[in-house]
Every structure is written in structure tokens, then in C-alpha cells.
Amino acid sequence: YYPLDNKAISGEYPPGSSFKIVTATAALSLGKVTPGEQYYDGGNHPLVPTMGNDGGKALGYLNLHDAMAKSDNVYFYEMGYRVGIDALERFSRQFGIGARTGITLYGESEGLAANQNYKLKTFDEDWYLGDTMNAAIGQGYQLATPLQLANLMSAAANGGTRYKPYLVQSVFDEKNGIIKESKPEVLGRIDISPADLAAIQSGARGVAQPGGTGAQLADFPIAIAGKTGTAENPHGQDHGVFVGYAPFDNPRFVIAVVIEQGGYASVSAVPIARKVFAAAFGIKE
């Protein structure tokens, strides 16, 4: 109902499963899991049986790569339980959630990195394990703008550095001399080893391969990595979310697609992401 808002920078949405990149980073960096550990998904989490996968699906034993590719909730509930909400908040902020990116456009929102103090101040309620598990899959109190999601994926793609985005690269005078030039400005770095980050990147690549939640991208002529998200929306249908980058081995482009009330990302956001990548690389399909 607000068509004139610049929702790329002002719209705040639950990131949904795209946030699992943050949760995986926290779990690996803190030594709470290894990429090869097999965790059993029986359809719901044993500590909070009401929390499970969509439709109650049980995916059995999964390692990090499989859990990322299939976007398994139960695996990431467990990761949230292992690291705790304070660590999730810390890594959220490393990825830029809960703070403006600093792009020179009016009206940018901060988003929200879920934390205990926010719930206590806003609702005068204690924090529960279920809140942590919701936060671990990008639900509950987590909020991010599409630009923040793009920045999050950019840091995951480029080796762990978060940059300040800009809209205009150069401003010229009438004689074609440069008046002002934007250059890369580092805002922060992600606390993760190259080996662990490579494991997350591999899982993101699995999303866009057969069996992944973004399998419609598997036959794209350039290798894509990404993360789908279907974000619960209390005001209507779920939002469809996709964040991704390409080429996988030498990233040039990062995109974030949010389809308000679009439902499953696989049928709403992913097909649009494919068209954006095709346009970016000049591929006719």
C-alpha cells in the first residue's frame, strides 16, 4: 500500500532462510559444528517439538551442505540452539543486519538484529528457546532490507568483507574531468576462516543445483550460488526471497529479490532472479 517507497532500502522484511548463511557462519566460527557433521532431522526439533519443517517433512541425516541446499529448518534450529541468541546477534551485525549500509539515498531503514533486550523493551517479555530457533531461520524478530540482504550475500561471496554500497561511481564536469569518485569502503569483516566460508559457499552453490531449493537455476549457463527464503508474513501471504551471486568461482554480480506475499521462493523469487542474471550477463533465454 506504499508504492512510492523505495523498498530496496526502506522495506524491512523477515529474511527467512536467507539468514541461514548467518547462522551457519556463527556455528562454524564458534566450533559448534563441522561441515561434515551429520545431524538427524526427524521432522521437528526434539527440544521444541512444535517447531519443524514445512509440512512436517523429515529429511534424515544432513551435513551443512545438504542443510543449506535443501534449506532444512530443523538443522538450523539446532544450530541456533548450539550458538545462542547473543552469538546470533553478534554475527548478524557483522553481516550488517540492524544497521544502515550508509548508501547515500534518503530513507534507508536499519532492519533489526533479533536480541533479548529488544523483546524485553518492546513487549516486556522474557526470551525463550523458541525465539532463538525462530531467529536462526530468519523469522521472529529478524528484519532486513533487500539492500542489506544483497550486502550479506556480497560478504559471503567475496571472502568475508562487508563494503559500503554506492549508487554513482563517478561524477564528471563539463570537460569530462572527474569531480567525485566513489571507491570501495570497508565497513567490517566477518569472523570466519576461509575454509569454513568455503563450506558455506559450497552449500549456497548446492541451492542452485539439482535437489536444491533453487534447482530452476541448475541449467543456467553460468554457475550461480544463492539462498532461497520463504518468509512468514503476519499481514498476508508469505514473502518469497532469493539472494544469490554469480559466477560462483569469480563473483561479479550479487542480487536480492523480495516478492511481497509471493509465497514459496522457488516459484516467486527464483524465476525472477534467473531473468536478472540473464540480463546481467547478456544471455538470451
Side-chain angles (χ1 to χ4, degrees):
Y1 297 111
Y2 299 92
L4 299 183
D5 283 356
N6 185 352
K7 294 183 181 182
I9 62 169
S10 67
E12 295 177 302
Y13 306 93
S17 292
S18 64
F19 186 84
K20 290 173 181 175
I21 293 170
V22 179
T23 304
T25 300
L28 289 169
S29 294
L30 297 175
K32 301 297 184 180
V33 72
T34 64
E37 178 187 336
Q38 297 281 333
Y39 178 77
Y40 182 73
D41 167 19
N44 52 45
H45 196 278
L47 293 180
V48 187
T50 56
M51 302 187 72
N53 295 319
D54 182 46
K57 296 175 184 175
L59 300 185
Y61 284 100
L62 299 154
N63 59 21
L64 175 69
H65 179 279
D66 296 336
M68 287 275 291
K70 298 177 184 298
S71 201
D72 185 75
N73 283 348
V74 174
Y75 179 96
F76 285 97
Y77 287 148
E78 174 66 14
M79 296 306 108
Y81 165 65
R82 292 184 187 184
V83 303
I85 188 58
D86 292 342
L88 279 180
E89 180 191 4
R90 186 168 77 253
F91 279 89
S92 297
R93 295 191 184 281
Q94 286 185 20
F95 276 100
I97 306 299
R100 295 181 180 92
T101 68
I103 193 170
T104 53
L105 293 172
Y106 176 77
E108 186 179 15
S109 299
E110 293 183 350
L112 176 63
N115 61 83
Q116 299 185 63
N117 190 50
Y118 170 81
K119 184 182 181 185
L120 187 63
K121 275 190 167 184
T122 307
F123 302 101
D124 194 26
E125 294 178 0
D126 292 331
W127 191 268
Y128 298 104
L129 177 58
D131 294 323
T132 299
M133 291 182 173
N134 264 332
I137 65 164
Q139 297 290 168
Y141 304 109
Q142 304 279 28
L143 292 173
T145 68
L147 183 59
Q148 286 175 332
L149 293 179
N151 233 19
L152 183 158
M153 182 54 88
S154 174
N158 71 28
T161 302
R162 181 165 54 90
Y163 292 96
K164 178 180 177 179
Y166 54 83
L167 187 64
V168 176
Q169 181 165 326
S170 301
V171 180
F172 300 88
D173 61 21
E174 68 276 7
K175 296 181 180 179
N176 216 31
I178 295 178
I179 299 173
K180 184 178 180 181
E181 188 171 22
S182 299
K183 295 183 178 180
E185 181 180 335
V186 174
L187 296 178
R189 289 184 171 84
I190 312 304
D191 182 17
I192 188 170
S193 72
D196 286 340
L197 185 56
I200 292 173
Q201 292 169 341
S202 175
R205 175 71 184 116
V207 168
Q209 292 179 312
T213 53
Q216 302 97 313
L217 303 171
D219 64 343
F220 194 76
I222 294 172
I224 295 171
K227 190 70 196 75
T228 57
T230 303
E232 294 180 3
N233 171 28
H235 310 292
Q237 299 297 313
D238 295 343
H239 303 312
V241 179
F242 178 82
V243 289
Y245 65 90
F248 173 64
D249 293 325
N250 184 27
R252 288 180 57 206
F253 298 107
V254 167
I255 66 169
V257 180
V258 178
I259 308 300
E260 292 186 348
Q261 303 196 49
Y264 287 112
S266 59
V267 297
S268 61
V270 173
I272 291 175
R274 182 176 179 121
K275 290 180 180 295
V276 173
F277 277 124
F281 288 107
I283 295 171
K284 293 183 178 180
E285 293 195 298

